[in-house]
Every structure is written in structure tokens, then in C-alpha cells.
């Protein structure tokens, strides 16, 4: 569930990160169990929707430097 990637030093922050990572993983698993949609597809659909909504109304533009 990605807990080894946490860039935290204090023990409290480590515990919080581990607990929330496990909670998110379990919620994705329960969603898969209840709907039949895998956690990978659930996460991908969230990203797809975010990209789709940004492309419909972009709020950040990159200025060319050259």
C-alpha cells in the first residue's frame, strides 16, 4: 500500500501515514468487493475524470520560455 514511500521522520507522522494508507487500501478492497470494480480501475477512473475536467476548463497555462 505504499507506506515505505513516506517521507516522514517523526514517529507520529509515520503512524498516521501507515494507518491512513492501510485504511485507503481497505476501502478500495471493500469497494471492489461491493461493486466488482478493481481498485486499479477505481483509481484510474478518478484520474481520468480529473484530467477530463481539467481539459474542459484549464486553470493553469504554461508560458513558453524560448
Amino acid at each position: 500500500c505504499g507506506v515505505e514511500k513516506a517521507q516522514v521522520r517523526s514517529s507520529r507522522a509515520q503512524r498516521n501515514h501507515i494507518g491512513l494508507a492501510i485504511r485507503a487500501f481497505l476501502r478500495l478492497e471493500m469497494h471492489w468487493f461491493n461493486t466488482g470494480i478493481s481498485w486499479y480501475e477505481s483509481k484510474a477512473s478518478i484520474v481520468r475524470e480529473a484530467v477530463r475536467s481539467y481539459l474542459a476548463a484549464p486553470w493553469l497555462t504554461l508560458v513558453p520560455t524560448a
Side-chain angles (χ1 to χ4, degrees), residues 20-47:
L20 291 173
I22 292 171
R23 180 179 179 198
F25 178 77
L26 290 175
R27 289 195 59 162
L28 285 170
E29 284 292 309
M30 286 302 297
H31 179 70
W32 167 75
F33 182 73
N34 292 330
T35 64
I37 300 171
S38 73
W39 58 267
Y40 178 80
E41 182 57 35
S42 296
K43 287 170 46 175
S45 69
I46 292 169
V47 172

Side-chain angles (χ1 to χ4, degrees), residues 2-3 8-9 12 14 16-20 24 31 35 37-38 45-46 49-50 54 56 58 66:
V3 295
V8 295
R9 294 183 186 263
R12 182 176 181 173
Q14 289 174 353
N16 287 343
H17 180 76
I18 291 168
L20 291 173
H31 179 70
T35 64
I37 300 171
S38 73
S45 69
I46 292 169
E49 182 57 36
Y54 177 76

